[in-house]
Each structure stands twice: as structure tokens, then as C-alpha cells.
Amino acid sequence: MSARWLLLTRLARLGDLGLLLLRWVTGAFLVYQSHDNILSAARMDEFERFLAQFHFILPEIMAPLCVWAQFLCGIAFILGLLTRWAGLVTTLVFVVAVWMVHWPQDFPGWWPALILVFLGILFATVGAGRYALDELIARRIPNDRHQAEAAAPR
């Protein structure tokens, strides 16, 4: 048996497609779970009371900040736009969620927020992949390091 078959190395060619699908499903989830708070003042008030219950400081500010962060990061993941920034923001939001809300729960209670922490880390470190607006931007904006190397005397 060859290592190629044992390790399924040919699947690596589909890595960018895997990132695209993971970005889409993560982004759709974030948009889905936050849109109702954006569209309904009553739902935003409910979320503000939820945050107050868990002793968040300034829940009247934190509620819209958290909701808009999730919504905009969801859109960013779907489009593959500023994906690393969206990953950092998502990581921060859900680290706070685990710490402030889910900490006293058992592991299954942590799971959804914890997965979003690690998805945020993944997107922040790996980026969006080939099928993303980030890739189009990277092609249009020259890399500063490469410009410096090209301009340096030889």
C-alpha cells in the first residue's frame, strides 16, 4: 500500500474548497444567530438582559457590539473578505462567551462557543483560501516585502 493511499494526500488539492465550505457554513451560522437581534429591538433588549444576567459590564453597549460583530464576521466569512480579521474578532467574542456564560456548564454546553473560538483561530491563521475576495485583493495589492526587495539595489 502506498503512502499516497494511506494518507489520502490527493485530497490536499481540495483544501481551498474545504475552507470555502467551512467559511460558508460558519458565516451562515453567525448571520443566522445574530440577524434577529439586529432586526428586532425587542430581541436586542432581550439579549441585553441576558448579558446583564451574566454580569457583563455595560450590557446596553456590549449587546449591540457583540451582535454586530457576529453578523459582520458572518458576512466576512461568507465573502472571504478580511477573513483573518473576522477570525480574530470571532475568536475574541467567543472566548468571552465561553468565559462569561458557558464556564459553569458541562463540556457539551461549551461546545458550540468553543468550536467558534477554534474556527476563528483557524481562519485567522490560515486565511480564506483561494476562493475568496481576500485572494482577489492580494493579487491586486502588491506585497510590501516584495516591493522592497524589487527596489533594493543588487
Side-chain angles (χ1 to χ4, degrees), residues 3 5 19 39-40 44 57 65 67 71 76 99 109-110 116-117 127 130 151:
W5 283 102
L19 279 173
L39 299 176
S40 166
M44 186 64 82
I57 58 169
L65 185 65
V67 166
F71 186 78
W99 176 44
W110 289 30
L116 286 162
V117 167
R130 182 182 330 160

Side-chain angles (χ1 to χ4, degrees), residues 5 12 17 38 67 100 104 108 119 135 149:
W5 283 102
L17 178 60
I38 290 171
V67 166
M100 295 289 292
L119 286 170
E135 182 68 17
E149 289 173 359

Side-chain angles (χ1 to χ4, degrees), residues 83-100:
T83 305
R84 291 180 193 275
W85 283 107
L88 290 174
V89 171
T90 299
T91 300
L92 175 65
V93 166
F94 286 97
V95 162
V96 171
V98 168
W99 176 44
M100 295 289 292

